[in-house]
Amino acid sequence: MDMLNIDISDFLQKHQLPDSYQTLARDWYLPIIEEIATHQNSAKRTITIGINGAQGSGKSTLAQLAVYVLTQHYSLSVVSLSLDDFYFTRQERTQLGQGIHPLLATRGVPGTHDITLARRTITQLIHQQFPVSIPRFNKAEDDRFPVESAEIITHPVDVIVLEGWCLGAEAQHESSLIQPVNDLEETEDKDLAWRRYVNEQLARFYPKLFELIDIWIMLKAPSFDCVFQWRLEQENKLKRSLSESDKQTQIMDEKAVGRFIKFYQRITENTLNTLPKKVNYLFELDENRQITKLTRPTQSTLNTDLPCQWLVFTDMDGSLLDHHNYHFDEAIPTLTALEQNHIPVIPVTSKTAAEVELIRDSLANHHPFIIENGAAVYIPQDYFEKQPEGTEKRGKYWVKSFVQPRSYWQSLINQLRPKYQNDFVTFADAGIDGIIAMTGLNVHAAACAARREFGEPVSWHGNGNLKQQFIAELNALGANILEGGRFLHVSGQCDKGRALKWLTDMYQNTMPEQVIQTLAIGDSQNDKAMLEQADHALVIRSPVHGLPDIDRTHNLTVSTFFGPKGWAEGVTQIIDAKLHSDSFNLPRGNHG
């Protein structure tokens, strides 16, 4: 079939496009779509196409054209998705606006999308976990369509087409956020709270969505200056397609469009600078949205040979350490092999720094570690060439803290104490002897456990329903409560995933010539954030509780065995499988 001469006149009519689009498609887009169809055929699996473009650049039309051609002329099963379809509901964004910053009530920027839902939807399509519900967003109402009107996919999909204005966008360095890019930032985000929140969301959650994309296409605007006119044309087109009653709802006039695009300016401008060198197909546009150039990467650019550096982030109790006796004998051969192959094993735990230091000594581990459920990262001084920005020297470590000190969280607990007087005991209440009784630790280990710096463990003895009320009231005071295997951990808005991301970035900054691959290992619900954040997740089965509730299905492994035996089994399975090297073979531990 000659793809260059296919008739798309019915497509043009349906989407109210001029005849000139036929020429545009023939000269630029159809050859690319043909290559994608060929690629899907050879891959013999579901592939995902990501299309990036600024507001009004034509990415939605290109996505629709790809669906049309792949469906009608290649008989492929295609699902079209827009990142816009995964905006939080209007109510959810209102809550963000009230709780974090008023600008978050306006849809658009990272932090206003339900990335968990987007990842789950695409992953379910890839792995054929039917039925799959496809959400859709009603821009005229500025809200998601009702769930009952969602499209339901019940059959295998060959190609997923995902388009979005910030697909592939990168977070910026903190210093880049200081100078406002427009009057919206200058007057309505004076303390940088909105910029920082958006940037953090982009850094933490969006890369896990982007990694699901196989083929990248970018429609590159010449600059942000022309985006206003493009976005205005887009709004007028939407207006023409609506009934008179709908036009009175959320359709924007010229002034409103001018304000609206200012929300997008910072990330759009940064993406125009950073994304072009990374995509598979780069279409450069002029001010009239005419394509002036197509750049394709060389084969070596597509299949990078950069060396891979693994980082293993591991929970301790119940994962690397046996739940009952804290032994790790069955993991020793694997730990030794990792060290010999320069793969850091980074403890991530609810324990204190003092406790982790004891464990690191027994493990002969000299790498950084994360304490108190992500409240702080401890890095041995001189581990990196220079002290990471945002850390302070504390003893022999550089320390990055994410929350307020322990005394603050104790004061919040004490506010609620009269209401729950006999329902709980904190570590501070229990003292060394009480901690020994609750944990079975020896006196020296219990003394280390008592040296909390950023939070307070609570042992709950009362009614289970009251416990949830207690947690809710602490949340209302601004605390964050994580439920571990034994205790409630009361601290601030930190988690193991955020700390993992920060430390991974520090490694990447020091070794830009390598591709960092992260493996997170855990067994309980308070490990969820890092299990979701890492490139690969290993869930260790527990003899005392069920598996944590993990959203991801991509790069997820569940151990067969408990504790350190399952730890060695899973690490070997994941890292050996990815390295494909005869020179690297992790021993499988004592599985007799």
Side-chain angles (χ1 to χ4, degrees):
M1 179 184 297
D2 185 353
M3 294 298 297
L4 303 185
N5 293 318
I6 68 170
D7 181 13
I8 61 169
S9 56
D10 52 342
F11 175 81
L12 302 180
Q13 182 177 359
K14 177 181 178 181
H15 296 282
Q16 303 176 32
L17 296 168
D19 291 340
S20 58
Y21 197 87
Q22 171 88 41
T23 304
L24 177 75
R26 182 195 65 213
D27 293 345
W28 297 103
Y29 293 146
L30 294 183
I32 303 307
I33 295 172
E34 184 176 26
E35 289 181 19
I36 291 170
T38 303
H39 179 77
Q40 195 283 328
N41 186 54
S42 61
K44 297 180 180 178
R45 63 173 177 83
T46 304
I47 63 170
T48 304
I49 305 166
I51 303 177
N52 170 282
Q55 295 278 308
S57 61
K59 63 183 178 300
S60 298
T61 306
L62 173 56
Q64 291 162 347
L65 176 68
V67 172
Y68 174 83
V69 173
L70 292 171
T71 303
Q72 299 297 319
H73 297 272
Y74 271 103
S75 301
L76 294 175
S77 174
V78 186
V79 170
S80 176
L81 302 173
S82 171
L83 190 57
D84 293 355
D85 290 326
F86 297 98
Y87 282 132
F88 284 123
T89 64
R90 192 193 304 180
Q91 180 182 357
E92 289 169 330
R93 284 180 283 115
T94 298
Q95 291 171 344
L96 282 174
Q98 294 170 344
I100 299 174
H101 194 285
L103 290 178
L104 290 170
T106 300
R107 72 175 191 261
V109 295
T112 62
H113 302 95
D114 189 338
I115 294 300
T116 298
L117 176 61
R119 283 178 55 202
R120 183 166 64 243
T121 301
I122 294 173
T123 301
Q124 287 174 338
L125 290 171
I126 291 172
H127 294 289
Q128 301 185 28
Q129 296 170 337
F130 306 122
V132 182
S133 177
I134 306 297
R136 299 296 183 195
F137 194 85
N138 185 346
K139 291 183 178 179
E141 296 291 339
D142 192 29
D143 208 352
R144 205 177 289 166
F145 279 108
V147 174
E148 55 268 20
S149 66
E151 179 185 2
I152 305 297
I153 305 297
T154 59
H155 57 272
V157 172
D158 300 308
V159 179
I160 301 166
V161 179
L162 173 66
E163 57 90 2
W165 75 275
C166 64
L167 284 187
E170 291 182 6
Q172 294 179 282
H173 190 275
E174 173 77 13
S175 61
S176 299
L177 304 178
I178 297 172
Q179 187 65 32
V181 298
N182 54 40
D183 58 356
L184 178 81
E185 291 189 353
E186 186 172 14
T187 61
E188 299 186 49
D189 187 35
K190 292 180 180 179
D191 62 357
L192 282 68
W194 177 66
R195 273 167 269 176
R196 284 175 172 148
Y197 180 81
V198 170
N199 198 58
E200 181 179 347
Q201 296 296 300
L202 184 56
R204 291 188 64 192
F205 301 111
Y206 285 66
K208 308 309 291 182
L209 173 65
F210 301 159
E211 73 180 14
L212 299 177
I213 296 173
D214 299 294
I215 298 172
W216 285 88
I217 300 172
M218 182 181 189
L219 302 181
K220 182 179 180 291
S223 70
F224 187 77
D225 294 338
C226 59
V227 174
F228 167 71
Q229 192 59 44
W230 291 359
R231 185 62 183 81
L232 189 60
E233 292 174 15
Q234 191 179 49
E235 198 71 14
N236 288 334
K237 183 177 179 180
L238 176 61
K239 186 176 181 180
R240 289 193 299 270
S241 69
L242 297 175
S243 65
E244 286 301 321
S245 59
D246 287 339
K247 290 176 184 178
Q248 306 304 315
T249 54
Q250 298 293 325
I251 296 299
M252 293 184 284
D253 59 18
E254 186 170 334
K255 182 179 179 180
V257 170
R259 171 179 164 79
F260 187 62
I261 66 166
K262 291 174 183 176
F263 285 77
Y264 296 74
Q265 182 172 349
R266 171 178 293 279
I267 292 173
T268 298
E269 290 180 337
N270 190 49
T271 302
L272 290 175
N273 291 327
T274 58
L275 187 60
K277 60 190 176 186
K278 300 178 180 180
V279 298
N280 303 99
Y281 302 104
L282 175 66
F283 291 100
E284 298 188 42
L285 311 180
D286 64 16
E287 292 182 357
N288 298 314
R289 280 179 295 197
Q290 296 301 305
I291 298 172
T292 61
K293 184 180 180 183
L294 167 62
T295 303
R296 303 164 184 255
T298 62
Q299 192 64 27
S300 60
T301 304
L302 278 172
N303 299 311
T304 178
D305 292 324
L306 288 176
C308 174
Q309 173 63 56
W310 279 88
L311 305 176
V312 177
F313 292 83
T314 182
D315 172 56
M316 305 306 286
D317 293 4
S319 297
L320 179 56
L321 307 181
D322 184 273
H323 177 84
H324 299 291
N325 58 28
Y326 298 107
H327 293 170
F328 57 90
D329 296 2
E330 291 166 313
I332 289 175
T334 306
L335 287 166
T336 301
L338 291 170
E339 188 65 30
Q340 289 173 346
N341 286 278
H342 309 291
I343 297 177
V345 174
I346 300 161
V348 187
T349 177
S350 61
K351 295 182 182 296
T352 66
E355 289 177 285
V356 178
E357 284 189 302
L358 286 177
I359 297 170
R360 286 171 78 243
D361 287 345
S362 63
L363 293 171
N365 182 300
H366 60 274
H367 300 292
F369 53 95
I370 297 169
I371 66 164
E372 299 188 35
N373 290 311
V377 179
Y378 274 64
I379 303 169
Q381 286 189 31
D382 301 323
Y383 186 85
F384 298 127
E385 286 188 5
K386 62 180 181 178
Q387 182 177 351
E389 184 177 338
T391 63
E392 61 175 346
K393 290 185 179 179
R394 189 177 300 182
K396 57 186 179 181
Y397 297 101
W398 293 320
V399 178
K400 168 66 175 178
S401 57
F402 296 96
V403 298
Q404 291 169 292
R406 179 187 187 185
S407 58
Y408 178 82
W409 309 111
Q410 288 175 324
S411 70
L412 298 188
I413 294 170
N414 287 333
Q415 288 183 42
L416 301 180
R417 187 178 293 276
K419 190 173 181 179
Y420 302 96
Q421 188 66 51
N422 300 315
D423 293 313
F424 68 85
V425 175
T426 68
F427 267 28
D429 299 332
I432 302 299
D433 289 341
I435 293 173
I436 291 172
M438 287 190 289
T439 63
L441 298 172
N442 63 41
V443 64
H444 185 46
C448 291
R451 291 166 57 185
R452 313 295 297 182
E453 297 176 78
F454 301 100
E456 184 67 29
V458 174
S459 178
W460 186 265
H461 302 307
N463 179 279
N465 292 331
L466 276 181
K467 180 177 77 169
Q468 295 308 314
Q469 180 179 310
F470 176 71
I471 291 172
E473 292 187 26
L474 282 171
N475 285 333
L477 292 172
N480 184 44
I481 291 80
L482 289 173
E483 294 192 56
R486 292 184 174 93
F487 303 104
L488 301 176
H489 298 274
V490 181
S491 187
Q493 296 299 323
C494 62
D495 58 53
K496 294 180 178 182
R498 180 182 182 188
L500 178 153
K501 177 66 170 64
W502 183 88
L503 184 54
T504 300
D505 288 344
M506 295 306 102
Y507 276 99
Q508 188 68 79
N509 291 341
T510 63
M511 46 183 73
E513 74 287 352
Q514 300 200 52
V515 176
I516 301 292
Q517 284 284 301
T518 54
L519 167 61
I521 308 172
D523 74 310
S524 66
Q525 200 62 28
N526 73 339
D527 300 317
K528 176 176 179 175
M530 72 166 178
L531 291 168
E532 299 284 10
Q533 177 66 51
D535 297 311
H536 299 266
L538 169 60
V539 177
I540 305 297
R541 293 189 185 276
S542 170
V544 295
H545 57 73
L547 298 176
D549 180 20
I550 304 299
D551 294 323
R552 74 185 294 166
T553 57
H554 184 65
N555 289 341
L556 173 65
T557 302
V558 178
S559 73
T560 306
F561 303 104
F562 300 142
K565 188 173 183 178
W567 193 97
E569 167 206 19
V571 170
T572 301
Q573 176 182 338
I574 294 166
I575 296 185
D576 273 355
K578 293 299 175 184
L579 289 177
H580 296 296
S581 170
D582 292 335
S583 64
F584 187 99
N585 235 325
L586 290 178
R588 300 185 178 272
N590 177 17
H591 291 170

